[in-house]
Amino acid sequence: MATSLARHIETFRHGVHPADYKELTHDRQIERIPFMDELVLPLTQHLGSPSRPVVKVGDYVHRGQVIGEATGFVSSYLHASATGTITAIDLRNHPSGKVVDSIVLKPDPVSPQILHDERTIDWKTMSPKEIIDQVSWGGFVGLGGAAFPTHVKLTVPEGKKVRFFLVNAVECEPYLNSDYRALLERSDSIFLGVEILLKALGAEIAYIGVEMNKVDAIEQLRAAMPEHLPCEIVPLETKYPQGAEKMLTEAVLDIEIPSGRLPIDVQVIVNNVGTVSGIGDLFRYGQPLIERIVTVTGPGIRKPSNLLIPIGTRLTDVIAYCGGMTDNVKQVLFGGPMMGSAQRMLDVPIMKGTSGILFLTDYEVFPREEYPCIKCQRCVDACPVFLNPSRLGSLAKARLYDDMHEWHIMDCMECGSCSYVCPSNIPLVQRFRVAKVLLREQKARETAGGE
């Protein structure tokens, strides 16, 4: 079987091959974590405007009930992750490092935690718009980490059309296995989600891209796929950042998305497999986005696991459930080691976009001395969007940000491949992030000044 798969392996140009370190949780089945004493639900868990509370302190709410409404098209609904009482609506620590408005919920210890208004939703009689409206009500965002509201991505602009629906099951970040376990344990929900979204988008066919370090999942998906479903499983070379939308589109369809354009501009929509699985459950059970699969891993956690965690569960509670941290933990990340965000506080909540929690020790994290660029061009060979990170790094160090714009810095997707291969330990991607923020702020000031 491996030989037959190997003849059809696809990929994109450039990229890197970091060790994947997935063995820590590779074989650990998804395990549901208990409801803790307190859940903290930030009103900002997605790109766009924050949700607005529709409950008040003292209200008794049910699991799956709306507690925050969307405040615009690019916004998202928020639901109670458990049945219980609203104890506060105030400022709490957020994984971004900010302090944001949050709804605090105390789960009822004697409640059976039955889903509020559980029902099957008859999507076959719905129009595409009605399906997308239902996804919007469900509060779905991209579960791969971007947290972009899913209903916005599914709404095809006037004059555009979708031919291909790509399901991103790549999970190219080292250490993480939440998508892999969903492929093995949630294939029914995934295929139902694919069928519903094909109708919503009017797409001809779906492709599920899976890397070759998940051969058992590829075989299982092919065996379980409904015969009537226009869908193909596409084996992909194990390479980073294969899961980026532009890289996945190039690998699966051999279509290049031009600079500054989106997948919809080449008649493609991409969704993470966790999002697709969750949408399947939304229509099967009426369950909005109130929990998600999270890989808890790394050498610094005593019991690495793949957990099904209620949104709003505090990181400290997850750490305690997993047996605690080792004594030499140096860094805690939300996400993987390539694009994850370091956490300063441990009382932050698990959010809709939290795909993994990584605990690194002083063996993996230590100061590296930076040396001058030796023009080896490894970063140029690694960059998946064909930028010149060496040149951009020099401009960033000299704070020549306007010049960086001319060298297409805004096309950088901050994957970190350049920093990973740099023998001089130059923090290229960190400098690029700063430059992009400053350029966006400058553009905003210019726009405001023009008005």
Side-chain angles (χ1 to χ4, degrees):
M1 188 64 186
T3 302
S4 131
L5 287 172
R7 286 200 297 268
H8 302 94
I9 298 172
E10 308 290 350
T11 192
F12 62 99
R13 294 168 291 172
H14 289 194
V16 295
H17 294 83
D20 66 18
Y21 300 109
K22 292 181 183 284
E23 64 278 5
L24 287 172
T25 57
H26 180 273
D27 297 324
R28 295 187 181 270
Q29 294 186 355
I30 300 167
E31 176 184 354
R32 181 180 289 278
I33 193 171
F35 293 97
M36 300 299 174
D37 292 340
E38 182 179 88
L39 301 172
V40 177
L41 296 141
L43 297 170
T44 304
Q45 297 198 41
H46 51 270
L47 294 181
S49 58
S51 310
R52 179 189 301 121
V54 295
V55 292
K56 60 183 184 302
V57 174
D59 284 355
Y60 189 84
V61 298
H62 298 272
R63 185 168 175 257
Q65 178 181 330
V66 172
I67 57 174
E69 63 182 6
T71 53
F73 179 56
V74 186
S75 185
S76 183
Y77 282 84
L78 183 63
H79 302 76
S81 307
T83 297
T85 303
I86 305 297
T87 58
I89 301 176
D90 58 16
L91 296 172
R92 295 295 176 105
N93 288 320
H94 187 272
S96 67
K98 300 178 181 177
V99 178
V100 306
D101 288 320
S102 305
I103 298 175
V104 182
L105 170 61
K106 180 178 177 56
D108 185 343
V110 299
S111 167
Q113 297 296 345
I114 296 171
L115 185 64
H116 175 63
D117 193 24
E118 181 173 346
R119 70 196 192 287
T120 299
I121 301 171
D122 185 9
W123 60 273
K124 292 184 178 179
T125 63
M126 287 181 159
S127 69
K129 183 180 184 309
E130 289 172 330
I131 291 174
I132 294 171
D133 287 346
Q134 194 67 48
V135 171
S136 173
W137 174 87
F140 281 87
V141 303
L143 297 190
F148 187 74
T150 303
H151 67 279
V152 179
K153 182 179 279 192
L154 298 178
T155 303
V156 181
E158 191 72 28
K160 305 277 187 183
K161 66 172 292 188
V162 179
R163 290 188 62 197
F164 308 112
F165 176 46
L166 301 191
V167 179
N168 182 359
V170 170
E171 200 165 46
C172 56
E173 274 271 9
Y175 286 100
L176 305 187
N177 277 309
S178 57
D179 288 349
Y180 166 66
R181 294 310 311 183
L183 293 175
L184 292 179
E185 302 181 44
R186 303 292 173 91
S187 61
D188 287 352
S189 296
I190 293 169
F191 287 128
L192 177 59
V194 168
E195 189 168 8
I196 292 169
L197 292 177
L198 279 171
K199 177 176 180 179
L201 295 168
E204 299 170 9
I205 186 170
Y207 296 96
I208 303 178
V210 188
E211 286 193 337
M212 283 297 291
N213 57 358
K214 308 175 187 64
V215 170
D216 53 343
I218 293 173
E219 294 173 348
Q220 184 166 315
L221 284 175
R222 285 180 171 171
M225 187 161 61
E227 291 184 1
H228 69 277
L229 191 63
C231 179
E232 292 183 17
I233 313 301
V234 183
L236 301 169
E237 181 180 336
T238 303
K239 192 166 71 171
Y240 179 87
Q242 190 97 246
E245 287 187 339
K246 289 190 174 184
M247 280 60 261
L248 186 62
T249 302
E250 179 184 338
V252 173
L253 300 172
D254 196 23
I255 296 175
E256 182 175 337
I257 301 174
S259 171
R261 309 297 290 273
L262 299 170
I264 186 61
D265 295 315
V266 294
Q267 302 183 333
V268 173
I269 291 291
V270 184
N271 269 179
N272 173 266
V273 70
T275 309
V276 174
S277 173
I279 290 172
D281 287 341
L282 169 68
F283 286 87
R284 175 175 289 165
Y285 307 117
Q287 177 173 308
L289 183 52
I290 55 175
E291 59 189 11
R292 66 156 299 152
I293 305 168
V294 180
T295 296
V296 184
T297 187
I301 189 74
R302 298 190 187 281
K303 181 189 169 189
S305 307
N306 293 301
L307 301 178
L308 186 60
I309 302 180
I311 304 297
T313 302
R314 293 175 302 191
L315 175 55
T316 47
D317 290 327
V318 176
I319 293 171
Y321 183 79
C322 292
M325 298 185 292
T326 59
D327 295 335
N328 59 341
V329 166
K330 191 77 171 180
Q331 191 175 61
V332 180
L333 297 171
F334 271 12
M338 301 298 284
M339 295 188 73
S341 58
Q343 296 303 303
R344 184 172 59 91
M345 311 293 289
L346 297 183
D347 63 345
V348 296
I350 306 306
M351 303 205 305
K352 294 178 179 181
T354 309
S355 57
I357 310 169
L358 177 58
F359 297 83
L360 299 174
T361 68
D362 52 14
Y363 182 77
E364 295 84 28
V365 181
F366 54 87
R368 290 179 169 85
E369 185 174 355
E370 180 184 337
Y371 298 98
C373 176
I374 58 173
K375 313 299 181 187
C376 66
Q377 301 295 297
R378 292 185 190 177
C379 56
V380 176
D381 293 337
C383 180
V385 289
F386 291 78
L387 301 178
N388 186 335
S390 172
R391 177 64 176 167
L392 287 166
S394 300
L395 293 172
K397 191 171 184 179
R399 301 186 179 184
L400 297 173
Y401 300 124
D402 288 336
D403 290 351
M404 293 181 73
H405 204 291
E406 296 175 7
W407 284 76
H408 305 286
I409 182 60
M410 301 312 287
D411 282 344
C412 172
M413 53 187 191
E414 304 171 20
C415 67
S417 295
C418 52
S419 298
Y420 176 77
V421 298
C422 180
S424 295
N425 300 324
I426 300 173
L428 292 165
V429 71
Q430 289 83 355
R431 289 177 181 166
F432 298 164
R433 287 171 183 158
V434 172
K436 290 173 70 175
V437 168
L438 293 174
L439 286 168
R440 288 193 187 101
E441 291 177 350
Q442 177 180 310
K443 184 177 181 180
R445 287 195 299 271
E446 291 171 354
T447 301
E451 293 172 351

